[in-house]
Amino acid sequence: MIELRLDGKLVLAAEGERLLDVARRVGLRIPTLCDHPAVEPEGACRLCVVEVRDRAEGPGRVVPSCLERVQPGLDVRTGSEDVKLVRRTVMRLLLQRAPDSAALRSLAEEIGGKSSGAVWVSEENAGGAGCVLCGVCTRLCAAGGHHAISIQGRGAESRVSGPGGEPPDACTGCGVCARACPTGHIQLTEIAGVRRIWGRRFEMIRCGGCGEATLPRELAELESRRLGVTLVELTHCPTCKRRSSAEKFGELPARRTREGLSESGPMKGVAR
């Protein structure tokens, strides 16, 4: 274990632990958009910055806490004036890309405070919710082995899409990217058993028990081959899976009784 100082308090942390995780563990709130437990940190959004000093009296440096690892004797400050300045500057830039995002506006209030009088976005830049290039969606897609979407273009023209800006052929319609998107930019709709995302249309396979739409056919067929299970087994909804398991376990005691067995072996009283 390593001892460090966090906002004036001594805390213990495991060797190699991220500063962001240490802060969360002791109840300190650090804003972030691009951090996700399923993928490696990238430090893309720069909202989670903190100020670190190797010694309490030494010079400080502002670093992303999702990438910085603990070191013995560190003095970490999560709300210094330098940290606040960086976060407010980053937030202004992010809101230029996604001015109507409710998630970003909520973070802006948290970072700047309602009474600060800060004007985050000018009226001429107002528009629809947009992508802030946090990279969560692309990293999750790659982690799933699909690599269907990536950041295309450069500078202000950068955006997430399929190759060449076209609907991605490798997309299976899983929807992980849309659920993880922190600004709500990725649009996923599902109507009458048809899911639409990234300009593509996916037919949903229905549960054999209740008829609920469960998985896109492309994804179900891919996972069926990968896991070696049938489509019927794979596409049962969670409720029907639990019901099926309960019925099987419920039948087991009766079956064992009929066969003259108990949990401890042959039933007592059975003639030999």
Side-chain angles (χ1 to χ4, degrees):
M1 300 298 287
I2 292 175
E3 189 177 79
L4 66 150
R5 191 172 293 276
L6 188 58
D7 283 351
K9 297 181 179 179
L10 286 177
V11 298
L12 291 175
E15 185 176 357
E17 193 173 4
R18 302 186 306 165
L19 289 180
L20 178 60
D21 295 326
V22 177
R24 286 171 171 170
R25 181 159 47 77
V26 299
L28 288 175
R29 160 76 172 159
I30 295 181
T32 180
L33 286 174
C34 69
D35 191 63
H36 194 283
V39 290
E40 289 296 313
E42 194 170 78
C45 74
R46 281 316 198 252
L47 282 175
C48 72
V49 293
V50 295
E51 185 178 356
V52 299
R53 289 177 167 85
D54 296 324
R55 302 181 309 277
E57 70 279 4
R61 51 193 175 92
V62 177
V63 297
S65 61
C66 67
L67 296 177
E68 191 76 9
R69 305 288 173 169
V70 298
Q71 297 179 37
L74 271 188
D75 183 67
V76 183
R77 305 176 188 187
T78 66
S80 70
E81 289 305 312
D82 285 346
V83 165
K84 292 177 181 178
L85 175 61
V86 171
R87 286 181 185 166
R88 285 196 290 262
T89 302
V90 169
M91 180 55 70
R92 287 191 178 91
L93 295 173
L94 292 176
L95 278 168
Q96 297 302 315
R97 291 191 62 99
D100 288 345
S101 168
L104 282 188
R105 286 192 173 275
S106 177
L107 275 178
E109 294 286 1
E110 178 184 338
I111 292 170
K114 291 184 179 180
S115 62
S116 69
V119 179
W120 293 106
V121 185
S122 58
E123 289 300 321
E124 60 268 23
N125 286 322
C131 173
V132 293
L133 302 177
C134 68
V136 170
C137 59
T138 58
R139 285 181 288 147
L140 286 171
C141 189
H146 306 303
H147 300 277
I149 54 176
S150 61
I151 296 178
Q152 305 279 316
R154 295 181 179 180
E157 301 301 319
S158 298
R159 59 175 177 158
V160 174
S161 70
E166 297 296 321
D169 291 336
C171 180
T172 60
C174 68
V176 169
C177 57
R179 288 189 289 272
C181 178
T183 64
H185 171 65
I186 301 175
Q187 297 298 305
L188 181 151
T189 61
E190 194 172 306
I191 302 173
V194 175
R195 176 176 292 182
R196 297 180 187 275
I197 188 173
W198 295 113
R200 293 195 55 196
R201 177 185 184 278
F202 297 92
E203 175 196 352
M204 303 293 289
I205 295 182
R206 296 187 178 276
C207 171
C210 65
E212 177 186 351
T214 53
L215 292 175
R217 181 169 296 278
E218 287 88 341
L219 177 61
E221 291 175 348
L222 179 66
E223 292 299 300
S224 175
R225 293 191 297 269
R226 186 177 69 86
L227 299 174
V229 298
T230 66
L231 283 178
V232 173
E233 293 174 298
L234 191 64
T235 56
H236 260 53
C237 73
T239 300
C240 289
K241 285 180 180 178
R242 288 194 295 269
R243 183 181 299 116
S244 176
S245 296
E247 290 172 352
K248 288 179 181 178
F249 282 111
E251 290 174 359
L252 184 58
R255 186 183 306 118
R256 295 174 68 91
T257 301
R258 288 196 302 271
E259 294 172 355
L261 300 173
S262 68
E263 292 184 0
S264 59
M267 292 181 61
K268 295 181 180 180
V270 176
R272 292 184 174 85

